[in-house]
């Protein structure tokens, strides 16, 4: 627990924490506010209705969560890679080992800290998203009567919890990549390449891609109606949400094992 508290104190001060969260909520705010301001200016009735759905509650809750989990996975990879790479670049891992800390324990608690920060970022982004959706609804002149819809509100805790687990897996993958590369820049670059490479692979390996880490993470929060989930829109075969939880857990455990083994064997002296 001591290492977790120390890690959280360290992460709170890291520029990567503020930059990653700021970019996510900034993009979300721009989109929702722009839609709210221009929804009624759309050239066709169909386009206007589609735009207004984004800022109409309770459906706006769905779009906020979908946006966070869709784009947030990429930011989680980048964040995990940035934090892990800094351990090597700034020599904090070496300093910890020098004072007698276990390498594996240090990395595991660092990963736990990343998971906590991802959860805080998820909740913070959700609150900001709901606020900007309300502002967008006001700009569009849409009623917010559905804001207190009990059925939708009842689903949100489970969906946010599942989304947090999926984003932790993606953050841990970024952490593992940067640990192997021993570099922030290489970790972020390879993590982004893997993220988009997996999307591209859907063209050639549609039945295999659903088991890969990013698509499995997207399926964790998919529903039968496709309301919560990735950008596949049901066109690509997806895992059942509960099966996806198992696959995501396997990727998460695998990444933890690889990170621990690599750190134990790595040369960090000098």
């Amino acid at each position: 627990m001591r290492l977790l508290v120390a890690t959280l104190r360290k992460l709170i001060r890291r520029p990567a924490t503020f930059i990653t969260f700021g970019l996510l909520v900034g993009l979300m705010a721009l989109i929702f506010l722009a839609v709210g301001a221009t929804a009624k200016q759309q050239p066709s009735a169909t386009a206007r209705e589609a735009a207004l759905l984004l800022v109409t509650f309770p459906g706006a809750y769905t779009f906020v969560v979908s946006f966070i989990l869709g784009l947030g996975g990429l930011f989680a990879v980048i964040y995990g890679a940035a934090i892990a790479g800094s351990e090597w670049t700034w020599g904090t891992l070496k300093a910890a080992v020098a004072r007698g800390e276990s390498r594996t324990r240090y990395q595991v608690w660092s990963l736990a800290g990343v998971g906590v920060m991802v959860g805080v970022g998820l909740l913070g982004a959700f609150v900001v998203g709901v606020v900007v959706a309300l502002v967008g609804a006001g700009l569009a002149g849409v009623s917010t009567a559905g804001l207190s819809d009990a059925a939708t509100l009842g689903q949100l805790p489970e969906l946010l919890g599942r989304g947090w687990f999926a984003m932790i897996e993606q953050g841990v993958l970024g952490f593992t990549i940067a640990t192997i590369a021993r570099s922030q820049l290489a970790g972020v670059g390879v993590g982004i390449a893997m993220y988009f490479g997996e999307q591209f692979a859907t063209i050639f390996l549609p039945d295999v891609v659903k088991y890969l880490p990013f698509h499995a993470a997207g399926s964790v929060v998919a529903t039968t109606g496709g309301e919560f989930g990735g950008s596949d829109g049901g066109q690509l075969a997806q895992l059942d949400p509960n099966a996806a939880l198992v696959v995501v857990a396997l990727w998460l455990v695998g990444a933890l094992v690889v990170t621990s083994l690599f750190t134990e064997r790595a040369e960090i002296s000098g």
Side-chain angles (χ1 to χ4, degrees), residues 10 14 83-84 86-99 106:
K10 177 175 63 178
R14 290 284 174 88
I83 297 304
S86 68
E87 295 290 335
W88 301 89
T89 305
W90 297 352
T92 51
L93 174 61
K94 180 168 62 177
V97 172
R99 66 172 182 261
Y106 181 85

Side-chain angles (χ1 to χ4, degrees), residues 156-236:
L156 288 176
E158 179 185 356
L159 291 169
L160 288 172
R162 284 172 169 263
W164 180 30
F165 185 65
M167 290 179 68
I168 288 175
E169 176 236 33
Q170 294 164 320
V172 169
L173 284 174
F175 193 99
T176 300
I177 293 167
T179 297
I180 295 173
R182 303 193 195 191
S183 166
Q184 277 184 312
L185 184 60
V188 170
V190 173
I192 293 174
M194 287 183 63
Y195 181 90
F196 287 106
E198 187 175 310
Q199 313 306 314
F200 183 72
T202 59
I203 301 173
F204 307 101
L205 302 168
D207 294 327
V208 175
V209 165
K210 63 182 179 181
Y211 295 103
L212 297 182
F214 300 113
H215 276 78
S219 298
V220 164
V221 290
T223 62
T224 305
E227 292 179 346
F228 291 83
S231 58
D232 297 324
Q235 297 177 0
L236 179 72

Side-chain angles (χ1 to χ4, degrees), residues 115-138:
V116 171
M117 295 304 294
V118 166
V120 172
L122 171 62
L123 290 177
F126 177 72
V127 172
V128 172
V130 171
V131 171
V132 295
L134 282 170
V135 175

Side-chain angles (χ1 to χ4, degrees), residues 216-261:
S219 298
V220 164
V221 290
T223 62
T224 305
E227 292 179 346
F228 291 83
S231 58
D232 297 324
Q235 297 177 0
L236 179 72
Q238 289 185 312
L239 293 171
D240 173 80
N242 292 326
L245 276 175
V246 176
V247 174
V248 166
L250 291 174
W251 280 107
L252 177 59
V253 172
L256 286 170
V257 170
V258 170
T259 298
S260 299
L261 291 177

Side-chain angles (χ1 to χ4, degrees), residues 1-6 109:
M1 187 58 68
R2 171 182 57 85
L3 280 176
L4 177 60
V5 173
W109 282 114

